[in-house]
Amino acid sequence: MSMEVPQGDAGLLAAIRSGNAAAYVGLYERHASAARALARALVHDPAEAEDVVAETFTRMLDLIRRDGGPREAFRVHLLTALRRTVHERSRGGRGGEAEIELFDPGVPFVDPALTGLERSLVARSFLSLSERWQLVLWHVEVEEAGFAEVAPMLGAPADSVEAVSYQALEALRQACLRTHLAETPAEDCRSVLAKMGAYVRGGLAKRESKLVERHVEGCTDCRVVFMELADVSQGMRVIVGPLIAGPALGVYLMALNRGGLAGGFLGTVIGWGREPERRGRFAASAGAVVAFATAVALVLMMVADPVIRGPVTDPTPIPAPIVAQPDPLPEAPPPVPEPRRSAVAIPPPERNTRPARGPAPVPRLVASINALGALVRSEPGMVAVRLRNAGSGQSAEIVARIGLPPGVMLPPAARRGRASAATAPVPMAGAAGGGRPAGTVDGWSCRAVKVGARCFRGPLPPGRSTAVFLRVMVSPRAAEGAPLSVRVSGAGAKVTATSASGVQDAGAPARFATDGRVVTSAIGNTLLAPEGPPAHRRPGGAGRQAGDGPQAPRLLDQDRDPSTGSSSAARLALPARSRIVWAGLYWSGGAPAAGPVKFRVPGKEGYRLVRASRTAEGRLPSGRVYQAFAEVTRLVSRLRGRYWVADVPMGKGPARHAGWSLVVIAADPRRPYSRTVVVDTVTVVDRGSPARIPLDGLTPAAAPARMDLVAWGGAAGVRGDRVKLGRGRALRPVSGGRDPGDAFDGSATGALGTGATLGVDVDGFRALLGGRPVLKVSARRGSVIFGVAVVNVQARS
């Protein structure tokens, strides 16, 4: 006895091209709920959303009849075409035959807020895959559909989908490697890249694995490839998901999982355009919809085969798919032949062009104001004001009046004269962040007023964005919750905005922020080793115990410099084309924090003394600990090389940890436009006290982000340390053991010569950041100090 396999999307699409219009009913019933979910996330009016769905399906049918559009990955193309429909309608487009071809140009349609996403390694690799793999990866990895749900679209038995999904992931890994190799990497990288796929799968011998690890440790480009391959599933969710569904991906997935968006095919397409005000605007498209619905109704009445009520079948032979160059795959054979390659049918973004005729250009300013990270009582903080000219004409001179709630004020130096704008110029960014007077940044100039600041800037051209960041002080008695406000003039009318949050009782204040094309890096190392023979024995050096207890770990002293008692190094590896914008040095140990640390940069023989500009303390079961900070931007001049830190102060008693981390932000014109913030705190995390770190002021919608976190006191093998965003699942570190259930396992990016970094964690994570993200750090066993978060999220330029 055999079970009939439903006809897959490829078969239905082939049937439509052969003239079987009834096959389109099957596609519609299969994908309409997904189209509605995305339409309702993009359009607030439910009736308008139904119009968008019907118009998109109609245009897709016309495209397929012309032998264009998808061959198999129908939903990937459908969602992108729907976004294009919403974009055209928002511009007052009338649709029509001339615009049909815009739905199948073969290049991504990227939302301006996600510009640069299509250039990422995972995105380019996904677009290079055959449509069969695109279909499987989208439904399984992004939408997280069950294998039984994917089977009908694939036209395969449900028990074979798991094997196909494994093959699709492997095909994506191979495509990532091919894409990177096509960029002509250095000769020493090529041999490593050839082994990278097997290394990620755990298929290399121990000796070869160590060779790959040693190379990846010092090569930025290969480390990027490794991180992409290590979790291609995460890359699908945070890169490819927003590329196809846009910034509304999170809302779309929630609606899709809830369901309840289904509707009848004929009722939807005939009902579209019923309202008189819409008939005038979309007359041509409505006519096409009615004609299409009538044609399908005739087919349904004429076809006698009762199977038409279930999966659509067509008695005419369906031509076999055209096979192109297949992807290299594992030994397991796919259940169906590999079809030809096809780029995703996504139209290009619309450029800002001034019409030859029509109304005069009019500026339209869009403003926002937010605290960055969190405004916490008794702590300094930062406020971001961002402006965008969404109109068609240049604005007048801009005046921004920034209102601060009671208890939040500019620093004393700013109140005596010019406001302290926490900014530093970033080339080609159009906005800025961190440490210089506001008058030097993108034309902004600020001065203090009684309840805030008044900032000035020259005219803002259409399509341009700008930002100014202000340092503020928060009083111990500041009221919680009172919002920030900004009133902007410069577009003929005043524009106002208020923040979503105000002063909070806990969180991590911002240390630095920037908007621009930047790359971030956080490296670090420990100054302690487990009890045992030290790396270098010499009087007063590494052989000394760290503390008085017999089980205390030993100090590491790796620099062979007789003037240091403890030392360690970490390698920084930034792109050669970048330029240092900001650098901050953090160090931590047992309290009290007495005295400076020693800091040595690549190419220099001696150490420089660095004194903390800010120190904060917390308490672990083993005693008091501290975290100290100093800005070292002027000292960090090399993009690549070994950075050394020595003699971190440690209090008396057994030392649980002593270590350091260097955070560097550099301008890189090849990176996508992004918003970056560095927040720091000293928050004890244990079984009964998880840490909740708001990350306000970064993005109004879901967007892919890279986070580097610094924590002190963690230990390998003590499972239960987890990092989450909101209510999502635990994030997987991209370094160390890469175990989401053991996030702080004693591993630090860039650390040299120490193996496990006892009590020091500097780990990277990738995630999809929502509109008001909250970082949650928990520990089920033991305790850990959460110290620093460096967040880089892609944004509208």
Side-chain angles (χ1 to χ4, degrees):
M1 182 175 179
S2 62
M3 182 178 296
E4 182 180 354
V5 177
Q7 193 168 15
D9 286 1
L12 294 174
L13 288 164
I16 295 168
R17 287 185 170 88
S18 299
N20 181 8
Y24 202 54
V25 180
L27 279 176
Y28 179 89
E29 298 291 354
R30 190 173 285 173
H31 298 282
S33 60
R36 275 193 197 90
L38 183 58
R40 294 182 183 182
L42 298 174
V43 180
H44 296 299
D45 181 5
E48 181 79 359
E50 290 297 327
D51 288 1
V52 167
V53 172
E55 182 178 356
T56 303
F57 270 98
T58 303
R59 290 189 173 191
M60 289 291 291
L61 174 63
D62 196 357
L63 187 65
I64 295 165
R65 283 172 166 173
R66 297 165 181 244
D67 201 30
R71 300 294 197 210
E72 189 157 2
F74 183 77
R75 184 168 298 180
V76 173
H77 289 67
L78 175 70
L79 298 180
T80 307
L82 188 142
R83 288 173 56 213
R84 178 69 184 189
T85 300
V86 173
H87 174 74
E88 288 295 318
R89 291 165 71 101
S90 68
R91 294 174 56 249
R94 296 182 177 275
E97 185 172 306
E99 294 180 345
I100 297 274
E101 304 304 328
L102 292 175
F103 283 73
D104 194 24
V107 295
F109 173 42
V110 183
D111 189 279
L114 304 177
T115 299
L117 206 62
E118 76 282 5
R119 296 193 295 271
S120 67
L121 182 63
V122 169
R124 287 182 292 144
S125 303
F126 175 81
L127 296 176
S128 73
L129 292 176
S130 63
E131 283 196 35
R132 186 171 196 77
W133 298 145
Q134 290 179 8
L135 182 154
V136 175
L137 290 171
W138 177 262
H139 290 288
V140 174
E141 299 299 332
V142 179
E143 296 184 350
E144 297 183 333
F147 297 141
E149 297 175 72
V150 180
M153 291 176 276
L154 198 60
D159 57 4
S160 69
V161 177
E162 183 174 5
V164 177
S165 67
Y166 170 82
Q167 294 165 2
L169 280 174
E170 182 59 24
L172 181 59
R173 291 191 187 98
Q174 296 296 329
C176 287
L177 288 174
R178 287 197 305 271
T179 302
H180 191 67
L181 285 169
E183 297 175 349
T184 61
E187 279 301 320
D188 58 336
C189 294
R190 299 189 72 87
S191 60
V192 172
L193 290 171
K195 303 174 183 176
M196 191 75 76
Y199 173 74
V200 171
R201 294 192 303 272
L204 280 184
K206 188 174 182 179
R207 180 175 177 275
E208 289 183 310
S209 295
K210 287 184 176 180
L211 291 175
V212 173
E213 291 170 358
R214 191 176 299 119
H215 177 86
V216 169
E217 182 180 75
C219 177
T220 304
D221 293 335
C222 290
R223 187 160 63 248
V224 170
V225 177
F226 167 73
M227 291 188 298
E228 298 279 13
L229 296 181
D231 197 351
V232 289
S233 297
Q234 182 79 349
M236 283 293 303
R237 288 187 288 272
V238 302
I239 301 294
V240 177
L243 180 69
I244 302 302
L249 173 67
V251 179
Y252 162 74
L253 292 178
M254 290 176 60
L256 193 64
N257 292 333
R258 284 198 304 264
L261 295 173
F265 172 74
L266 289 176
T268 298
V269 296
I270 295 176
W272 178 60
R274 280 178 178 171
E275 298 181 27
E277 62 271 25
R278 290 178 181 163
R279 284 199 299 268
R281 185 177 176 186
F282 302 106
S285 298
V289 173
V290 174
F292 169 54
T294 304
V296 173
L298 290 173
V299 171
L300 292 176
M301 288 186 291
M302 294 173 64
V303 175
D305 191 346
V307 182
I308 197 71
R309 293 192 299 271
V312 178
T313 58
D314 187 359
T316 60
I318 298 176
I322 301 173
V323 180
Q325 299 176 359
D327 297 314
L329 296 172
E331 291 296 325
V336 289
E338 177 72 2
R340 72 178 188 180
R341 298 183 185 276
S342 174
V344 180
I346 309 175
E350 187 71 18
R351 296 182 178 177
N352 289 324
T353 57
R354 181 172 177 175
R357 297 179 181 178
V362 177
R364 183 169 67 88
L365 294 180
V366 179
S368 68
I369 183 169
N370 292 101
L372 289 170
L375 293 180
V376 182
R377 287 194 185 105
S378 303
E379 297 280 356
M382 290 176 62
V383 173
V385 177
R386 295 184 173 97
L387 297 176
R388 178 169 58 90
N389 187 350
S392 57
Q394 180 170 283
S395 74
E397 181 176 309
I398 293 173
V399 180
R401 296 169 176 83
I402 300 166
L404 302 177
V408 180
M409 64 203 78
L410 298 173
R415 295 199 299 272
R416 290 194 297 267
R418 174 178 289 174
S420 173
T423 52
V426 180
M428 296 155 293
R436 297 189 184 180
T440 67
V441 179
D442 199 30
W444 282 102
S445 177
C446 297
R447 62 182 178 86
V449 295
K450 187 175 181 180
V451 291
R454 182 173 295 179
C455 298
F456 308 87
R457 187 196 184 280
L460 189 65
R464 280 284 308 277
S465 299
T466 185
V468 61
F469 304 91
L470 297 176
R471 296 192 189 279
V472 296
M473 301 295 297
V474 184
S475 164
R477 295 181 297 277
E480 288 185 29
L484 312 164
S485 65
V486 63
R487 185 175 59 179
V488 181
S489 60
K494 290 181 173 61
V495 179
T496 61
T498 56
S499 63
S501 62
V503 176
Q504 303 187 44
D505 60 349
R511 179 68 57 184
F512 172 84
T514 183
D515 286 7
R517 301 184 186 278
V518 298
V519 58
T520 63
S521 179
I523 61 174
N525 209 336
T526 185
L527 291 168
L528 298 179
E531 185 183 16
H536 304 292
R537 290 186 180 274
R538 56 177 179 75
R544 197 172 60 204
Q545 292 282 350
D548 302 327
Q551 301 300 320
R554 296 180 180 272
L555 292 173
L556 283 174
D557 196 5
Q558 299 179 315
D559 61 1
R560 300 182 182 274
D561 185 334
S563 69
T564 62
S566 62
S567 62
S568 63
R571 184 184 300 278
L572 181 67
L574 289 170
R577 60 186 174 270
S578 56
R579 180 183 65 79
I580 302 294
V581 172
W582 182 87
L585 181 64
Y586 293 87
W587 62 93
S588 179
V597 296
K598 297 176 180 178
F599 183 56
R600 192 170 81 190
V601 302
K604 303 291 184 181
E605 294 185 0
Y607 281 95
R608 294 280 298 269
L609 288 179
V610 175
R611 299 184 184 277
S613 61
R614 184 165 183 81
T615 303
E617 292 188 1
R619 179 173 290 277
L620 290 173
S622 58
R624 289 189 303 132
V625 298
Y626 74 90
Q627 175 177 274
F629 164 81
E631 184 178 340
V632 291
T633 306
R634 294 184 179 181
L635 300 180
V636 176
S637 57
R638 297 289 185 93
L639 298 165
R640 308 175 75 90
R642 296 187 178 193
Y643 283 82
W644 290 81
V645 172
D647 294 345
V648 166
M650 289 179 284
K652 295 182 179 180
R656 182 178 178 182
H657 77 272
W660 58 276
S661 176
L662 177 65
V663 176
V664 181
I665 298 176
D668 184 351
R670 293 184 59 181
R671 296 283 171 167
Y673 194 91
S674 62
R675 295 177 179 176
T676 301
V677 67
V678 180
V679 300
D680 57 37
T681 182
V682 173
T683 300
V684 178
V685 182
D686 55 30
R687 184 174 181 178
S689 302
R692 184 180 181 277
I693 311 297
L695 298 174
D696 292 342
L698 283 172
T699 175
R706 160 78 189 216
M707 297 189 299
D708 293 287
L709 305 184
V710 180
W712 316 103
V718 182
R719 291 183 54 80
D721 302 335
R722 287 180 168 81
V723 176
K724 296 183 179 181
L725 269 174
R727 297 181 179 179
R729 56 183 143 188
L731 302 179
R732 182 188 301 276
V734 297
S735 56
R738 306 197 301 279
D739 183 353
D742 188 14
F744 303 127
D745 57 355
S747 60
T749 302
L752 297 174
T754 57
T757 53
L758 183 64
V760 178
D761 278 273
V762 184
D763 295 309
F765 299 83
R766 291 181 178 173
L768 189 68
L769 226 61
R772 293 194 62 192
V774 175
L775 190 65
K776 295 182 179 179
V777 183
S778 60
R780 291 185 179 178
R781 298 170 57 190
S783 301
V784 66
I785 293 284
F786 177 80
V788 187
V790 185
V791 186
N792 177 267
V793 56
Q794 295 185 19
R796 181 192 301 270
S797 61

